[in-house]
Amino acid sequence: MVERLIRSKEEWRSILPPNRYRIMFEDGTEYPCLSRVDDFWEEGTYLCYACDLPLFASEAKFHSGTGWPSFWQPISTDAVEEHEDRSFGMRRIAVSCGRCGAHLGHVFLDGPAPTGMRYCMNSASLKFVPGQK
Ligand code: FE
């Protein structure tokens, strides 16, 4: 089990850079290909930028061609939470951090083997730590 970290939006706003705050706590989306870690293949772990919870391992990262960093599975089942998102006239599955609840991106069912999942993440929500976890 991941222990919850509860902070108000005002606290997060004072802690995070404005662009990261907007994406992680106001459900923003970053423009594709501006990403810091889209075309980036070093070995390591991707943490939640807000609370440092490990979210994805570099072994599960793949080139999706979307311009957003993409993974075929999270690092553990309770690292992320998934919930229905009906914004913008679409029906999507939003993905948030399992500890602090920050918005991370969306998951789609058109990913590669072995899971067939595509976790399409905002790079602003992630913090890369090099080396093995
Ligand atoms: Fe988090």
Side-chain angles (χ1 to χ4, degrees):
M1 273 292 284
V2 172
E3 198 178 325
R4 276 282 177 187
L5 172 65
I6 310 285
R7 279 199 174 119
S8 69
K9 281 194 169 189
E10 287 63 39
E11 285 177 274
W12 285 121
R13 200 202 312 265
S14 70
I15 293 167
L16 297 170
N19 181 52
R20 302 206 190 242
Y21 171 79
R22 182 182 64 80
I23 287 168
M24 301 185 85
F25 292 97
E26 304 281 3
D27 287 343
T29 297
E30 69 187 2
Y31 293 108
C33 305
L34 292 180
S35 168
R36 297 158 194 82
V37 288
D38 168 37
D39 192 15
F40 176 87
W41 305 103
E42 279 180 38
E43 217 167 74
T45 305
Y46 293 83
L47 315 181
C48 171
Y49 190 88
C51 79
D52 287 344
L53 182 71
L55 300 175
F56 297 97
S58 56
E59 292 77 40
K61 195 170 189 290
F62 68 98
H63 181 73
S64 65
T66 59
W68 287 285
S70 302
F71 304 85
W72 47 262
Q73 77 176 5
I75 207 161
S76 66
T77 48
D78 52 7
V80 299
E81 290 184 341
E82 301 172 13
H83 41 94
E84 190 173 57
D85 172 11
R86 288 177 178 249
S87 62
F88 303 107
M90 292 181 275
R91 220 169 146 176
R92 297 179 293 171
I93 305 295
V95 178
S96 58
C97 173
R99 178 192 276 157
C100 73
H103 175 66
L104 304 171
H106 290 86
V107 60
F108 303 92
L109 300 177
D110 57 6
T115 62
M117 311 285 272
R118 172 168 62 94
Y119 286 83
C120 182
M121 300 291 105
N122 291 306
S123 67
S125 303
L126 303 175
K127 181 188 292 181
F128 177 76
V129 178
Q132 292 291 38
K133 60 178 188 297

